[in-house]
Amino acid sequence: MLLLLQTVVNGVLLGGIYAAYSAGFSLIFGVMGIINIAHGELVMLGAFSTYWMFTLFKIDPFISLPISLVLLFGIGYLLQKFIFNRVVEAPSIMSYIATFGVHLIIANLALLLWTADFRSITTSYSGIHLNLGGVIIPYARLVTFFLAFVVIIGLYIFLYKTDTGRAIQATAQDKEVARLMGVNVYRIYAITFAIGAAITGIAGSLISTYFIIYPQMGLPYTIIAFCVVVLGGMGYIPGALWGGLILGVVESLTATYLSAGLSVAITFILLFFMLIFRPAGIVGKGIIE
Amino acid sequence: MAFLEAKKVSKFFGALAAVSEIDFTLEKGEILGMIGPNGSGKTTLFNVIVGVYPPDRGKILFSGKDISGKKPHKICHLGITKTSQIVQPFTSMTVLENVMIGGMFGKGLTLSKAKEKAKEFIDFVGLSKYLDEPSGKITVASRRRLELARALATEPEIILLDENMAGLTPWEIDEVLELLRKVNKDMGITLFVVEHVMRAVMGISERIIVLNYGEKIAEGSPEEVAKDPAVIEAYLGEKYA
Amino acid sequence: MEKKIFSKRNITLFFLILAIILILPLFVHGYLLRMLALIFMWIGLTACWNIIAGYTGYIDFGSVGYFGIGSYVTAILMTKAKMAFLPSLVFSGIISASFAIPIGIPTLRLRGAYFGIATLAFAEAMKQVVLELDRVAHINFFGGSHGITLPIGPGNEFFYYVMFTLMFMVMAVTLWIERSRFGYSLKAIHEAENTAELVGVNTLFAKTTAYTISAFFLGMFGATEAYWVTYITPNDVFNIHVTIQMVIMTLLGGMGTVMGPIVGGSFLTIISEILWARFIYTYMILLGIIILIVIIFMPKGIVGTIRGLVIKKKVT
């Protein structure tokens, strides 16, 4: 019973982080219809910026969050402005492949610069944890979990309560109408991508506090983001939360009761059947083409 | 026994009934019109007939046989096809190739036989001079004729025409009407026409049904329908008030 | 649209090239021959991907799944059942194809990105199952992450001919599709699937057929590659980069054309052979840059762009 409880708690904590880095993926898809294969690279860049800040300047990972946010916002803006805006009107295959090109460039530049070594951050609070009647919750993970929530809620409020957020929504719903209302669609796209990248960067920073990081870590993260977003409903931001939690718990249960290696296979089988039977996601609010 | 018959057909999108308990009959060889304000369920009803959506309730009978829930290509093989409101030619193919698709897959002809037949239909709709032109490059009026030729190439018994005259000039509309009369009289194809251009649908149809909010509110000859108070309120009222 | 593909001149040229390719191993050996066999393989793989993605527009991100299935079928048949290579090869194709039918029917109902993700999920799930099944079920079948070592095969000449034959078959099928009724149905699906269905195209059947043909050949290529390298692991034969290479080569050459895979496949194989071994990361970065340049400046691929230039010249 305790094992089951611990497994579920681990799953929920993992799910929170899944949700945080998938929300940006969902946002980018929802607004521009781009499946961003380079999404995992944004996670990687966030993680490495925190890592270097910590290793070189002894800046605590939680303090460096705003820095990776700003950094990734900038990278995201430039990527959309100079690359993806040129293909966003073309058939969607073109944008997938462009994001794939970006994936290759970023991942391999990182390999050239930082080598393929596995790295991790060990802080003074890395080992300490909360013990709730036998269920162990590391503080770093707990804080990460709440920050992940804050990020998603923040994004939600931004989209519904600010002018820029409303302009993004209008563009997502009907870009021609948005254009007629005087919205600069390309600029909105660049801002959207920048925001998506920024929140993904924060998630990457958080991940670096307890997972091993390396330049090639991106692709698995992209694939998990796919799964999370399909589970929750493509383009429906709060769905990332549902998708993240479900996936986190399923993976955790598989790892405990079957085999850690099979958890990835189970994820994909789950994804496969979701796509076929409920393409709009668990809550059914996703975008179906 | 009616040629095509709908029995209490309903189709829901979520909680919304796009088409609700609709009955109609279509007799062999006639031209039936359908009118109604925007969003009244005309296109949905067409899509249910040709199998794009299965009906949630009710049945559609073709020559007495239940065809509801069959896929569009099956229904096409049985003899019912549709032209769409938004023209969708296979843009990278030529006009000839577009029409050949209809013959090859709707009628099951071989490639060379389909080509031969396609030329006849293209000639019939008056597009011969665009035979080898990519279909993406011809005018909207020509594309509408192309849709008709492609539908004819499947050698159907019934064609559903969904706003085939939208965006045409009055002069072009007269030409299309003439063409449709020929399709009906000379080829013996039964037509079911949805049209916004009142003059066109009133002029060509022998009988008209009127939809509003997914329900059938009137049925009769064009003159009867035009005088029906419910129709005036729902449709003409909105349009001419 | 009367393309004179079978003109007298083209037929002569075709037999000349065929003869050169067939007698080449008499004069060329070692590295160069291996390289040519590799080019044949990539052209063939790219052509397989082109059958489903180029003609129907369904972007398959899981093609490597069938390549991997083919590899493992041959590896298992040759080691466990002591079967000879050629029958194993045929079994690989058949088993790959028989996976494609139940996978294709549900996934090909999905449109756009959803199909891509579902096929990606299929290929990754296959990899994980092969990787983990032995450990979980306590058996010794797939060999887990250690993979399977196949019997040592014949020399490069043999694989040169096998790869060429397979490539030739895929190209012949593509050429047939290009000019057949079936090809028209695929192109109609690509252009406007709903309309295709309305005028009588059984779209699901056509798509599934194309997908299965593609899987059949992918499986046979996987089988040949397994025997060639004599050692396979799940991480190698189910590597997503294999799919990605197919995507890029098709895109480089031009989607939905017969020539596209030939141009894209040979171009990229040569570049990768020059750069891969020595500067792997630089190669990958360069690949990324090439992709972006092609996407942004010549979206119709090399073949399409050249064709466009030629047409322009003729007009002016």
Side-chain angles (χ1 to χ4, degrees), chain A residues 193-262:
Chain A
F193 201 96
I195 292 168
I199 56 177
T200 310
I202 297 182
S205 296
L206 295 172
I207 282 167
S208 74
T209 60
Y210 53 82
F211 283 144
I212 286 167
I213 64 167
Y214 50 101
Q216 283 166 304
M217 66 194 267
L219 205 56
Y221 281 86
T222 303
I223 293 171
I224 290 172
F226 267 156
C227 301
V228 167
V229 166
V230 168
L231 281 170
M234 297 278 277
Y236 171 62
I237 308 287
L241 215 52
W242 288 105
L245 293 179
I246 291 168
L247 196 62
V249 172
V250 168
E251 276 197 11
S252 180
L253 287 172
T254 321
T256 306
Y257 294 101
L258 278 171
S259 145
L262 270 191

Side-chain angles (χ1 to χ4, degrees), chain B residues 5-237:
Chain B
E5 184 174 10
K7 284 188 171 168
K8 297 213 173 306
V9 167
S10 298
K11 170 73 201 165
F12 300 93
F13 290 115
L16 182 86
V19 166
S20 171
E21 308 245 308
I22 289 200
D23 290 298
F24 72 81
T25 57
L26 180 62
E27 300 301 331
K28 196 173 171 81
E30 79 168 328
I31 302 181
L32 177 64
M34 175 158 64
I35 59 172
N38 277 327
S40 57
K42 302 176 304 272
T43 299
T44 307
L45 180 60
F46 268 15
N47 280 335
V48 170
I49 296 171
V50 297
V52 173
Y53 311 122
D56 290 318
R57 289 197 206 131
K59 269 195 243 175
I60 293 165
L61 305 175
F62 178 46
S63 304
K65 270 180 281 173
D66 188 358
I67 59 163
S68 30
K70 285 197 188 336
K71 299 264 236 118
H73 70 265
K74 278 266 164 60
I75 289 177
C76 174
H77 294 160
L78 291 171
I80 306 175
T81 190
K82 180 184 92 126
T83 68
S84 300
Q85 192 176 357
I86 301 155
V87 281
Q88 285 175 319
F90 306 117
T91 39
S92 72
M93 295 185 203
T94 63
V95 167
L96 177 64
E97 286 173 317
N98 262 274
V99 180
M100 280 164 64
I101 298 275
M104 282 191 281
F105 299 99
K107 187 66 186 159
L109 301 178
T110 60
L111 216 147
S112 53
K113 189 85 183 134
K115 187 183 272 182
E116 209 175 288
K117 276 287 200 181
K119 284 179 183 160
E120 290 173 23
F121 291 114
I122 292 170
D123 194 41
F124 175 76
V125 300
L127 288 179
S128 289
K129 60 186 166 200
Y130 300 124
L131 209 58
D132 291 323
E133 204 70 24
S135 62
K137 293 212 170 125
I138 58 176
T139 62
V140 175
S142 302
R143 281 190 214 177
R144 297 238 176 248
R145 285 163 181 258
L146 173 60
E147 288 251 321
L148 183 62
R150 193 173 54 199
L152 288 171
T154 69
E155 298 184 33
E157 302 198 48
I158 301 173
I159 303 181
L160 313 185
L161 295 149
D162 194 355
E163 297 199 26
N164 196 249
M165 289 165 240
L168 302 190
T169 64
W171 187 70
E172 287 167 338
I173 288 173
D174 285 339
E175 283 191 332
V176 174
L177 285 177
E178 196 45 48
L179 210 57
L180 291 182
R181 284 199 187 93
K182 268 201 226 160
V183 169
N184 181 247
K185 291 271 151 358
D186 304 350
M187 298 183 172
I189 296 173
T190 310
L191 299 178
F192 191 174
V193 183
V194 162
E195 198 49 66
H196 254 313
V197 184
M198 221 14 98
R199 183 175 65 86
V201 73
M202 290 290 185
I204 196 170
S205 312
E206 292 147 25
R207 211 153 52 85
I208 286 179
I209 60 176
V210 187
L211 258 53
N212 195 21
Y213 294 110
E215 288 176 32
K216 188 170 85 174
I217 57 166
E219 178 172 359
S221 70
E223 297 76 30
E224 285 165 0
V225 164
K227 284 183 211 140
D228 193 311
V231 178
I232 295 167
E233 194 193 322
Y235 186 81
L236 301 172

